[in-house]
Amino acid sequence: MPVPVVLTGRTVRLEPLAMRHAEGIAWAGAMDRAAYAYTSVPHGLDASCDYIARALAEQAQGRVLPFALVHPQTGRVLGSTRFLELDYWRGPVVWPPVTGVPYGDPLTSVPDAAEIGNTWISGEARGTGVNTEAKYLMLRHAFETWGVRRISMRADARNTRSRVAIERLGATCEGVRRAHSRGLDGIVRDTAFYSILDEEWSAVRGIIELRLPGLRPSVVHPAAFPGETREHGGAGELLPA
C-alpha cells in the first residue's frame, strides 16, 4: 500500500489518521452540523473512534490512505480527507480485484490512479483556504511523488458548495451519473464526477497556486512520526517566501 506521509502547508497539516485524533475529530465534527447534509461526519467521541477504526481497517487492506486535517501551529483538528479508489495498472497485480487478495501492487506500492474524497472541514476552517491547500498538497503528492495518471473527485449533484470548490481547482466535469447511489438523507442521488489528468496537472497547479501565493519549497527533514514519511518541497511543506 502507499506509504503514509505527513503533508504540511501554511494553513493545514495532513497527518495520517490515527486513534490519537479521535477527540479532535469529535470536536471538529460537532460544529455546524447543518453543513454536513451531504457528507458523512462523525458526531461524538464514540462515533469518531468508530470512524477512525473503519478508516484504518480499510487502510490495512490497501484501499484508502486517510488523513486528519490539523492546524500546523495549534495542533487543532480541522477535519478529515483521504485518498481512495486506488487503482494499480502496473506489475503483477491481481486484476480485477479478487475477494481475499490484498489490493495493490507490492512492487510499485503507489497507485496509477486515485480519488480524493470523504473530505469534511470544521465550521471554523471553512473559507480560510484550508480545503484548497489540503487538495493542493494531495494533488502534488499524487502527481509528483506517486506519478498517477488521474485523480478523480465526486460530489452529490445537489451539493453546490462542494461542486464549486472542485471546479475552482480546475478539475474537469465528466458528467452527472443519474440515480447513482443513496444519499445520506435517504434520497437516491445523482453524482457529479470530476477528474484531473497528469498532462493537465501543470496548468491546474498554476491555477491553484494563484490562489495560494508566496510559496517556496523547503528543505528535507526526517519523518515526523515513526513509520511515516514527511514530504517537503514536492507534495510537502510549503513555507512563506
Side-chain angles (χ1 to χ4, degrees), residues 52-236:
I52 294 171
R54 286 186 285 109
L56 295 180
E58 289 190 67
Q59 180 179 348
Q61 297 172 355
R63 301 179 64 180
V64 303
L65 194 62
F67 296 93
L69 305 179
V70 179
H71 191 284
Q73 282 76 50
T74 67
R76 189 193 301 270
V77 175
L78 303 174
S80 183
T81 189
R82 67 189 64 179
F83 287 112
L84 65 158
E85 299 294 336
L86 306 175
D87 286 340
Y88 297 82
W89 303 335
R90 294 167 287 189
V93 64
V94 176
W95 187 263
V98 176
T99 302
V101 177
Y103 284 68
D105 183 349
L107 297 184
T108 64
S109 298
V110 295
D112 294 281
E115 181 175 320
I116 294 175
N118 287 67
T119 303
W120 60 272
I121 307 289
S122 67
E124 70 165 350
R126 292 193 205 106
T128 64
V130 163
N131 186 42
T132 298
E133 188 168 34
K135 291 291 195 302
Y136 175 75
L137 293 168
M138 295 175 77
L139 288 167
R140 285 195 67 179
H141 186 70
F143 284 111
E144 298 177 18
T145 300
W146 287 349
V148 300
R149 297 293 303 277
R150 184 192 73 243
I151 285 292
S152 302
M153 287 171 271
R154 70 175 76 177
D156 188 313
R158 300 168 295 173
N159 192 346
T160 303
R161 180 192 295 269
S162 290
R163 295 185 65 180
V164 168
I166 293 171
E167 289 166 7
R168 289 184 68 195
L169 293 173
T172 297
C173 182
E174 297 179 334
V176 175
R177 186 173 299 174
R178 298 178 298 168
H180 173 247
S181 64
R182 180 177 176 178
L184 288 178
D185 55 5
I187 295 175
V188 176
R189 73 176 222 187
D190 300 340
T191 302
F193 287 84
Y194 297 85
S195 66
I196 301 170
L197 305 183
D198 56 346
E199 59 263 32
E200 299 167 344
W201 167 236
S202 178
V204 170
R205 175 176 169 175
I207 291 171
I208 300 174
E209 288 179 346
L210 287 174
R211 300 170 57 198
L212 298 172
L215 305 179
R216 64 174 174 81
S218 72
V219 298
V220 177
H221 290 284
F225 301 98
E228 298 164 2
T229 300
R230 167 164 282 184
E231 292 290 336
H232 291 263

Side-chain angles (χ1 to χ4, degrees), residues 28-53:
M31 299 170 45
D32 193 13
R33 294 294 302 177
Y36 303 134
Y38 305 112
T39 306
S40 179
V41 177
H43 193 194
L45 183 58
D46 289 345
S48 297
C49 289
D50 182 64
Y51 175 86
I52 294 171

